[in-house]
Amino acid sequence: MEENMEEGQTQKGCSECCLKCLSGIPYASLIATILLYAGVALFCGCGHEALSGTVTILQTYFDVVRSPVDALDVFTMIDIFKYVIYGVAAAFFVYGILLMVEGFFTTGAIRDLYGDFKITTCGRCVSAWFIMLTYIFMLAWLGVTAFSSLPVFMYFNIWNTCQNATLVESSNLCFDLRQFGIVSIGEEKRLCTASENFIKLCESNELDLTFHLFVCALAGAGAAVIAMVHYLMVLSANWAYVKDACRMQKYEDIKSKEEQELHDIHSTRSKERLNAYT
């Protein structure tokens, strides 16, 4: 019977330990981090492959060649965008870890509000700094989302032109790269329904794959915006709780100090009365 009681106490201790560990997880920050990583991975992975597919389409069907000199042409811009994608992936991987760590510390601060944990001014400054930085990143991701919609619009026009050329017989539809600023005004890079490259482009897998990759990249950028908004709500709530906790801690310190002073006064008066009687 004693063995059964010891096993029950052990199981109870393990369950309490597990519940304590689970209560310390910042679930709101965890959800925002997962959403951020998913959005950034979708944007960076699909965006990188979509840019590679764009290079293939330009070289194969539009006969656009890379400039032999170090000029800022469309291929150089695509290479720059790829390097930017590498930097975005690395930067937000680190930033997600930092926000998750901040969520753990803030959750501990709120949970141990009336314990031995002391909320420092440095901690509040770090939380305020993360709020400002996350707000800036949210605006940046809004710009990235708007910019990502441009290639989606361009490929939708190409796809729509292919559909109209298939539905309407003997139609003379053309797609000119100059209207999107991909090539200079002096270069005439257009595809019309009468050309063989236009038919090959409409029947190729590269067009559909690149179009859907850009759509996925746009969805990833939108998910990153939602993650930034979620982080802002979490950080703002944590900062407000920490600020309120600091005020409550100061109030408790002042209250305990006053009670100690009153106790000392009563003790002194009691001693004086006792001495007077004696």
Side-chain angles (χ1 to χ4, degrees):
M1 185 172 182
E2 292 180 355
E3 292 180 356
N4 294 332
M5 291 178 62
E6 290 179 357
E7 290 180 358
Q9 291 177 355
T10 303
Q11 292 178 357
K12 184 178 179 181
C14 292
S15 62
E16 290 178 354
C17 182
C18 292
L19 291 175
K20 185 177 181 181
C21 292
L22 292 175
S23 64
I25 298 176
Y27 291 101
S29 297
L30 180 62
I31 293 173
T33 303
I34 294 173
L35 185 60
L36 176 64
Y37 282 167
V40 172
L42 196 63
F43 171 78
C44 294
C46 294
H48 184 274
E49 293 302 316
L51 290 174
S52 300
T54 301
V55 172
T56 303
I57 290 175
L58 291 176
Q59 291 178 339
T60 305
Y61 302 104
F62 287 93
D63 297 329
V64 180
V65 296
R66 187 182 292 269
S67 177
V69 296
D70 294 335
L72 191 63
D73 57 355
V74 62
F75 298 107
T76 305
M77 294 296 297
I78 288 176
D79 292 337
I80 293 174
F81 289 149
K82 286 183 178 180
Y83 286 116
V84 170
I85 285 175
Y86 300 149
V88 167
F92 279 92
F93 176 77
V94 176
Y95 191 65
I97 293 176
L98 292 176
L99 288 177
M100 194 66 191
V101 171
E102 195 273 343
F104 271 107
F105 276 105
T106 308
T107 303
I110 297 170
R111 187 179 62 251
D112 301 329
L113 173 58
Y114 297 105
D116 296 329
F117 188 88
K118 298 295 183 181
I119 300 169
T120 61
T121 306
C122 180
R124 283 180 288 151
C125 291
V126 170
S127 297
W129 171 255
F130 273 123
I131 291 173
M132 183 186 68
L133 201 59
T134 304
Y135 182 76
I136 294 173
F137 283 149
M138 184 198 68
L139 296 179
W141 274 109
L142 282 175
V144 170
T145 304
F147 184 78
S148 300
S149 64
L150 297 179
V152 174
F153 175 72
M154 184 187 71
Y155 275 98
F156 176 76
N157 281 342
I158 298 177
W159 178 82
N160 194 26
T161 303
C162 291
Q163 295 297 318
N164 292 333
T166 305
L167 296 175
V168 181
E169 297 181 358
S170 66
S171 60
N172 188 17
L173 301 176
C174 296
F175 184 82
D176 197 343
L177 293 179
R178 292 177 295 181
Q179 62 182 336
F180 294 103
I182 297 178
V183 296
S184 61
I185 301 296
E187 300 180 61
E188 186 175 352
K189 298 293 182 180
R190 67 168 64 183
L191 283 182
C192 296
T193 54
S195 63
E196 184 180 357
N197 284 340
F198 184 88
I199 299 174
K200 291 181 179 180
L201 175 63
C202 293
E203 294 177 353
S204 66
N205 294 325
E206 288 88 353
L207 178 62
D208 290 335
L209 180 61
T210 306
F211 175 50
H212 288 96
L213 285 174
F214 272 121
V215 172
C216 291
L218 177 62
V225 172
I226 296 174
M228 290 292 104
V229 174
H230 197 160
Y231 268 129
L232 275 178
M233 292 189 294
V234 172
L235 291 171
S236 299
N238 288 342
W239 187 81
Y241 287 143
V242 169
K243 187 177 180 180
D244 183 67
C246 182
R247 291 178 178 176
M248 187 65 68
Q249 189 70 39
K250 291 180 179 179
Y251 171 75
E252 291 293 333
D253 292 340
I254 294 173
K255 183 179 178 181
S256 61
K257 185 178 180 181
E258 290 179 351
E259 290 178 352
Q260 184 65 34
E261 290 178 354
L262 290 175
H263 182 269
D264 293 340
I265 291 173
H266 286 297
S267 298
T268 304
R269 289 180 178 177
S270 298
K271 290 180 180 179
E272 291 176 353
R273 290 175 182 175
L274 183 59
N275 293 330
Y277 283 122
T278 56

